[in-house]
Each structure stands twice: as C-alpha cells, then as structure tokens.
C-alpha cells in the first residue's frame, strides 16, 4: 500500500500555484479511464464563473446547479458536518476536485448519495458484513456516518479510490447526508457525487459559504448557501466478520455503535 501511495502522489505532483484548469491538464491519471454511469445532459452547459459565487438553492438556481454537475463543473454544498466540494463521478469532474483542493491522488474521495439503497448498490458485501451494514445504515443514515466497504467494480470508478482499486480487496467510502439542502440537490440530480471537504488540502474544513469562497479565490465554483454542522463524519470500516473499525471519530461515537449490539473498536495506528 505504501508503494501504491508513493506512486500516486508522484503522479499528481503538479505546481499548486497554477489555476485549476492548468493543473487538471497535468492529471494524466484520469485521462484514459472510462467513467461510470453518465451524468451528461442535453441541457446547455452553464458558463464558467469568474470566482466562487454564493447562491441559494431554489427553483431558479436548481437548473444552473444541475447543469454544472452535468457539465463536469464543481459546486460546494453544505452538509450536517462540513461544506463539501462536489463533482459528478466523471474523470473530468473528479480531476477538478483533486486539482482545486491540491489533494494527493492517493487520498480517496467519499461518495455521497440521496438514499441508502442507492449508496449500498455501490458496495459488494455478504454475510455478517451485510448484516452489520444494514444495521448501521438503518440507525445512522441519513446522517454523519461514512462506511468503508468493498466496492462494486461495475459502478465505482478507480479514480475515486486513491489507489485502492489496484489492490486485491478494493474499498470505497459511502455516505448519505441528512442536511436538507444537500439531500434535496442530490435527489434532484439523481446520481452520486464525489465530495471531500471544500477546502485546500490540509486546511481547516469550512462550515460557512464565506469560508469556501476564501479557500478558492478566482475559481469556477458555485457555492450553495447554507451552514455546516462543524464536526466531520464518523468513518467506519466494516470487516468481513461484521465487526466495526472506527477509522475517524466524529458525531457518532464507538459507544453509539456498540449500543446497536455490534462489535466496534477504534483504529490504533
């Protein structure tokens, strides 16, 4: 895994001072990879913005926001945790996320969905693992829980996995947010989005639209007005035997998971 990470990080080492459009052209990792189910649309693409632009989510702005996703442009969305930088699951869109955040390609992206059924179709689980996933999803979705699960290779594109797809047991991070604004837009879009926090890599995760604007001056980015909760999602890897390994603590604590009758422990490393 270390070798994979080093290779991916070297692959993405492009100058951080360049604008996103120039940095994207250097991300050869994405150029020859086929996208998952298409998010393309026959609607006219929205013209690029001259800088991060805050807009509400309403009947007037919804077509513009959906058009941006359908044309591989980015939007920033409030969630019940922090603001996220959302792109469609296309090679071009995902490359823009990595470039705008200056994020190493070895860092995977969490996929966000409007509902649990859609989210779990992107995973491939069985036996005790499936039972635990069902219990967690019923208890905490929609909500601030990210599940790390074996991926469904027919749906999850390799360029969101941070190199995991090159391993024998590739995984993907899945989440169903509960924030009404985020949930409404995802429902209207009808497809998942790749969405890390809306900040430059290693900066503080933003909880207000003004924070997002300050992170990405001059970038082509629509920022949906709203407010985040301020605490990152809890990340849990569900093991083959049904046990839960908490990789990152958050709003949902280990004791909350154990309270469902599940085995859970914190990652130590």
């Amino acid at each position: 895994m270390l070798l994979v990470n080093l290779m991916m990080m070297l692959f993405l080492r492009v100058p951080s001072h360049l604008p996103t459009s120039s940095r994207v052209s250097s991300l050869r990792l994405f150029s020859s990879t086929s996208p998952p189910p298409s998010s393309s649309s026959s609607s006219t693409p929205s013209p690029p913005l001259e800088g991060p632009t805050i807009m509400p989510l309403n009947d007037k702005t919804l077509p513009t926001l959906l058009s941006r996703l359908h044309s591989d442009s980015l939007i920033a969305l409030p969630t019940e945790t922090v603001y996220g930088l959302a792109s469609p699951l296309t090679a071009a869109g995902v490359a823009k996320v990595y470039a705008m955040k200056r994020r190493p390609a070895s860092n995977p992206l969490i996929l966000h969905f409007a509902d649990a059924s859609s989210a779990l179709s992107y995973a491939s689980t069985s036996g005790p693992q499936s039972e635990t996933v069902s219990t967690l999803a019923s208890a905490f979705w929609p909500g601030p829980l990210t599940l790390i699960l074996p991926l469904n290779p027919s749906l999850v594109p390799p360029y969101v996995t941070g190199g995991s797809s090159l391993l024998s047991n590739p995984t993907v991070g899945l989440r169903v947010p509960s924030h009404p604004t985020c949930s409404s837009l995802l429902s209207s879009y009808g497809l998942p989005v790749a969405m890390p926090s809306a900040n430059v890599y290693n900066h503080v995760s933003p909880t207000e639209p003004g924070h997002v604007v300050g992170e990405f001056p001059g970038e082509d980015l629509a920022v949906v007005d709203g407010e985040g909760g301020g605490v990152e999602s809890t990340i849990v890897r569900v093991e083959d035997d049904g046990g839960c390994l908490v990789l990152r603590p958050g709003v949902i604590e280990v004791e909350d998971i154990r309270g469902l009758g599940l085995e859970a422990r914190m990652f130590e490393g």
Side-chain angles (χ1 to χ4, degrees):
M1 182 61 180
L2 177 59
L3 178 60
V4 171
N5 285 349
L6 288 173
M7 291 174 63
M8 300 288 276
M9 292 180 73
L10 287 171
F11 213 80
L12 195 62
R13 188 168 293 168
V14 295
S16 61
H17 66 277
L18 295 176
T20 293
S21 58
S22 298
R23 293 199 299 271
V24 167
S25 67
S26 299
L27 305 184
R28 303 306 181 192
L29 170 65
F30 303 94
S31 61
S32 60
T33 312
S34 299
S38 175
S39 68
S40 62
S41 171
S42 58
S43 61
T44 303
S46 298
L49 301 170
E50 295 182 358
T53 303
I54 299 174
M55 59 183 68
L57 176 62
N58 54 37
D59 292 342
K60 182 178 180 179
T61 61
L62 179 61
T64 297
L65 293 167
L66 295 180
S67 176
R68 288 184 62 82
L69 289 175
H70 286 303
S71 58
D72 299 325
S73 296
L74 306 187
I75 62 177
L77 281 172
T79 77
E80 69 278 15
T81 57
V82 298
Y83 256 84
L85 189 63
S87 82
L89 297 194
T90 60
V94 169
K96 289 179 181 178
V97 168
Y98 277 101
M100 191 177 291
K101 281 181 63 71
R102 305 168 201 168
R103 180 184 179 97
S106 56
N107 285 27
L109 301 178
I110 296 171
L111 309 188
H112 291 66
F113 299 79
D115 60 83
S117 176
S118 298
L120 295 181
S121 71
Y122 279 65
S124 179
T125 62
S126 61
Q129 188 179 54
S130 288
E131 295 173 9
T132 293
V133 169
S134 178
T135 298
L136 290 170
S138 296
F140 300 123
W141 277 355
L145 174 69
T146 297
L147 294 179
I148 306 300
L149 304 172
L151 61 79
N152 178 345
S154 67
L155 292 178
V156 178
Y159 43 77
V160 301
T161 67
S164 166
S165 59
L166 302 177
L167 304 177
S168 58
N169 297 300
T171 59
V172 65
L174 308 173
R175 187 156 96 82
V176 181
S178 62
H179 193 289
T181 299
C182 183
S183 181
S184 176
L185 190 138
L186 288 176
S187 294
S188 297
Y189 181 48
L191 291 168
V193 296
M195 191 164 68
S197 57
N199 54 275
V200 173
Y201 183 65
N202 278 338
H203 286 198
V204 176
S205 299
T207 58
E208 298 179 9
H211 297 164
V212 180
V213 171
E215 282 290 289
F216 303 113
E219 296 285 9
D220 174 19
L221 178 63
V223 182
V224 179
D225 200 9
E227 186 174 347
V231 179
E232 302 274 10
S233 67
T234 301
I235 298 181
V236 176
R237 188 176 75 198
V238 182
E239 310 285 17
D240 292 344
D241 62 3
C244 299
L245 181 63
V246 179
L247 302 178
R248 183 180 71 188
V251 177
I252 299 166
E253 300 181 352
V254 173
E255 291 305 320
D256 296 322
I257 297 172
R258 290 173 179 163
L260 301 174
L262 301 173
E263 294 289 332
R265 61 187 177 88
M266 286 293 302
F267 173 74
E268 297 178 2

